[in-house]
Amino acid sequence: MRGNEILPTEQWPQFLPSSAPGQWLPDPLGPGFEYTTLDFGADAEGPLVATVVRYLPRQRFGWLNFKKFKGVVLSVHGWSDYFYNRQLTEFWHAQGYCFYALDLRHHGRSLRAQHELPGYIEDLKALDMELDAAMELVRKAHPGLPVVAQGHSMGGLILSLWIERTHAPIQALVLNAPWLEFQGTAFLRIPINGLMEAVARSNPRRKILATQFDHYWQSLSESAQGQWDLHPIWRPAYAFPSTAGWLHTILEGHAQVAKGLNLSIPILLLTSKESHLSTTYSAVMQHADSVIDVNQTRLRGLKLGSFVTLSQIDGAMHDVFSSAEPARATAYRDLRLWLKMLRD
């Protein structure tokens, strides 16, 4: 979304420079936003970095006093995506939370010119490295404050599995249309995963040839039918190329969720009320999820843990917090009520 304090993305650089260790640089999202890079050396794609963005608004008499906050949020984006939602940040800030977002390796601010396969990952467990590092950064900056994790789409899957696997000290989990099953059905997932496993063993970087759709980008971008100013490389019209290794590890994650996780923390799962999956763009996609099957997602969500709250947002699209009004306001209302429950 455009605003007086937000630079349009056409003025953003294609690739952001890395910071020195511990250095925070002004983020192009605008005043109050800074970023720092987490350097992990290199991988087959080139420089291996992740990027943490924080919201640190100036107050009238200097920087914000962190001691006044109730908690911290660590947010993770979805596939072919990055953190861009300033309004979501300001919501959390108003609720009394410090806000941090992680742009994963090969995504968004962590993309580098050498990366031939943006978004590439062949094992979700490898992301523990940057999630652990971001968590350590947050806890050192805010000792004693509880941390709420927030994930959209693929980020919701990644966070759920990470918390289960590592027992990360997360107080609660907010899932915004998490990608918990392959297009809503295990009947396709199981045979496709078998094929991808065989291909990934020999060449995990092999691209999967499939028809590409720009439906979601059309519903999101102000350059099409949406309301958001999106970086053309970090959130492209067509998703990053799928590879055998990436698809195999995603499907393995879906299989773990289908078997059931054992998360004991409170979970809020928000989705649109309905999906509209089609090979052609329709105006209906402005008010429905055009990416995942929300009914199957809610069923899978109930297998994440023992304390799951479901919120169905009438008129929302895939990213409920990027939906048009009044759906967006409803999503914020439900999140606010759930946070009040946590505090009570």
Side-chain angles (χ1 to χ4, degrees):
M1 298 181 75
R2 293 183 183 272
N4 294 333
E5 296 183 342
I6 304 176
L7 294 174
T9 56
E10 57 262 27
Q11 297 180 31
W12 291 26
Q14 290 187 352
F15 308 105
L16 291 186
S18 294
S19 67
Q23 178 188 29
W24 290 89
L25 300 174
D27 188 81
L29 195 55
F33 290 89
E34 299 176 333
Y35 77 92
T36 189
T37 50
L38 307 173
D39 189 344
F40 302 108
D43 64 2
E45 286 298 297
L48 178 56
V49 299
T51 309
V52 178
V53 183
R54 71 179 179 185
Y55 184 49
L56 192 65
R58 281 189 178 274
Q59 301 299 287
R60 184 176 178 184
F61 300 108
W63 292 108
L64 196 63
N65 183 355
F66 283 144
K67 293 181 180 179
K68 297 180 180 178
F69 279 88
K70 304 169 184 175
V72 186
V73 173
L74 178 60
S75 182
V76 178
H77 57 80
W79 171 244
S80 302
D81 210 347
Y82 70 103
F83 172 69
Y84 61 84
N85 193 329
R86 184 182 182 111
Q87 185 185 64
L88 180 58
T89 306
E90 292 171 342
F91 168 85
W92 279 107
H93 175 70
Q95 304 307 306
Y97 288 81
C98 298
F99 187 91
Y100 290 77
L102 177 64
D103 277 12
L104 297 166
R105 66 180 69 183
H106 309 148
H107 281 83
R109 296 164 178 81
S110 305
L111 271 173
R112 297 295 180 265
Q114 299 96 318
H115 294 164
E116 295 182 7
L117 292 174
Y120 179 74
I121 185 73
E122 60 186 67
D123 188 349
L124 292 181
K125 297 184 185 70
L127 299 177
D128 290 0
M129 181 168 58
E130 55 221 70
L131 289 163
D132 291 346
M135 188 68 177
E136 181 181 4
L137 183 155
V138 165
R139 297 188 78 196
K140 283 185 177 179
H142 312 283
L145 286 184
V147 180
V148 175
Q150 171 184 269
H152 169 54
S153 198
M154 184 185 74
L157 174 67
I158 290 168
L159 283 172
S160 299
L161 296 174
W162 171 64
I163 297 168
E164 168 85 357
R165 185 167 53 246
T166 68
H167 305 289
I170 299 295
Q171 180 201 34
L173 178 61
V174 177
L175 299 176
N176 171 6
W179 190 20
L180 302 180
E181 182 57 275
F182 181 71
Q183 289 298 88
T185 174
F187 294 107
L188 285 176
R189 167 171 50 80
I190 293 172
I192 291 174
N193 193 25
L195 176 62
M196 288 304 103
E197 182 179 16
V199 175
R201 266 198 235 98
S202 60
N203 184 9
R205 294 168 59 84
R206 180 176 176 177
K207 293 182 181 179
I208 305 302
L209 299 179
T211 305
Q212 291 187 307
F213 304 106
D214 66 350
H215 304 157
Y216 179 52
W217 177 86
Q218 284 202 47
S219 65
L220 198 62
S221 174
E222 66 177 12
S223 297
Q225 312 301 319
Q227 302 177 358
W228 298 86
D229 177 33
L230 301 176
H231 194 289
I233 295 177
W234 303 355
R235 172 66 262 186
Y238 296 97
F240 295 156
S242 301
T243 62
W246 169 80
L247 185 53
H248 172 57
T249 195
I250 291 293
L251 295 175
E252 284 291 294
H254 291 166
Q256 291 178 54
V257 171
K259 292 176 182 176
L261 304 186
N262 294 292
L263 301 180
S264 59
I265 58 176
I267 300 170
L268 174 63
L269 194 156
L270 303 107
T271 67
S272 177
K273 185 177 180 180
E274 60 184 0
S275 293
H276 184 80
L277 306 177
S278 174
T279 57
T280 58
Y281 173 79
S282 165
V284 176
M285 293 176 176
Q286 299 301 126
H287 309 287
D289 195 313
S290 60
V291 178
I292 63 173
D293 182 328
V294 296
N295 292 321
Q296 189 64 44
T297 297
R298 289 191 284 267
L299 289 174
R300 287 288 183 262
L302 293 174
K303 303 191 76 170
L304 293 176
S306 58
F307 187 2
V308 181
T309 303
L310 301 180
S311 169
Q312 300 181 45
I313 310 297
D314 191 14
M317 56 182 174
H318 181 47
D319 185 340
V320 299
F321 296 115
S322 296
S323 303
E325 301 293 7
R328 194 190 318 159
T330 302
Y332 282 124
R333 179 205 65 190
D334 287 3
L335 178 53
R336 187 181 299 109
L337 290 172
W338 184 76
L339 290 172
K340 184 177 184 299
M341 178 196 69
L342 283 186
R343 291 193 290 267
D344 293 345

